[in-house]
Amino acid sequence: MNTIASPLLIGLGIWIITESVIELEKNNFRQNERNGVKKFLLWSLAVIFGSIIIEGIGVNTGLIFGQYAYGQNLPPYLSGVPLAIGFAWIGMILSSAAMAQKLFPKIYRSTFWATILLIALFMTIFDLFMEPAVIKLGYW
């Protein structure tokens, strides 16, 4: 069993959240915005727990993503879902947003839905490359 993957994913997720908060603090100070960090932290918690709930529904019912199960290489688990998955989602969303913003700034800033679709596209591309590796490593 690979015991280092979960702590690394969780640690990386916390690091990404922390770095995002630091950047928000800098930007909020300049713009005299005080609620940005609170909103981001609430959003982060919603992503972490929401993704675990969605994955739990998927693992336990086969709905949403079809039938699948996680291997035993990502403990601890909540209802069959590794806790690290919530933090992996944070990393994927924020990394995809950063790439979209950097590579396609006009599209990224054009409309809410264009931004969402662009982020989803980058997440899907990442997932296509990641899936074969994580299956071979026994994560799912």
Side-chain angles (χ1 to χ4, degrees), residues 9-28:
L9 281 171
I10 292 168
L12 183 59
I14 291 169
W15 182 26
I16 290 170
I17 290 168
T18 302
E19 288 295 325
S20 298
V21 165
I22 291 168
E23 284 301 311
L24 278 171
E25 283 289 341
K26 289 179 190 174
N27 293 335
N28 290 345

Side-chain angles (χ1 to χ4, degrees), residues 48-71:
I48 291 167
F49 290 110
S51 63
I52 291 170
I53 290 168
I54 289 168
E55 296 278 353
I57 292 168
V59 165
N60 293 298
T61 67
L63 298 173
I64 304 172
F65 305 115
Q67 289 288 5
Y68 68 103
Y70 286 98

Side-chain angles (χ1 to χ4, degrees), residues 99-109 118 121-122:
M99 287 180 55
Q101 187 177 22
K102 184 73 172 175
L103 296 175
F104 301 101
K106 289 181 182 178
I107 296 171
Y108 184 83
R109 290 185 173 88
L118 199 52
L121 174 67
F122 278 104

Side-chain angles (χ1 to χ4, degrees), residues 9-10 12-18 20 40-49 51 84-97 119 123:
L9 281 171
I10 292 168
L12 183 59
I14 291 169
W15 182 26
I16 290 170
I17 290 168
T18 302
S20 298
F40 175 75
L41 290 173
L42 286 173
W43 174 84
S44 296
L45 287 173
V47 169
I48 291 167
F49 290 110
S51 63
I85 292 299
F87 291 91
W89 275 71
I90 284 284
M92 285 181 59
I93 292 169
L94 293 176
S95 299
S96 295
I119 292 169
M123 287 182 69

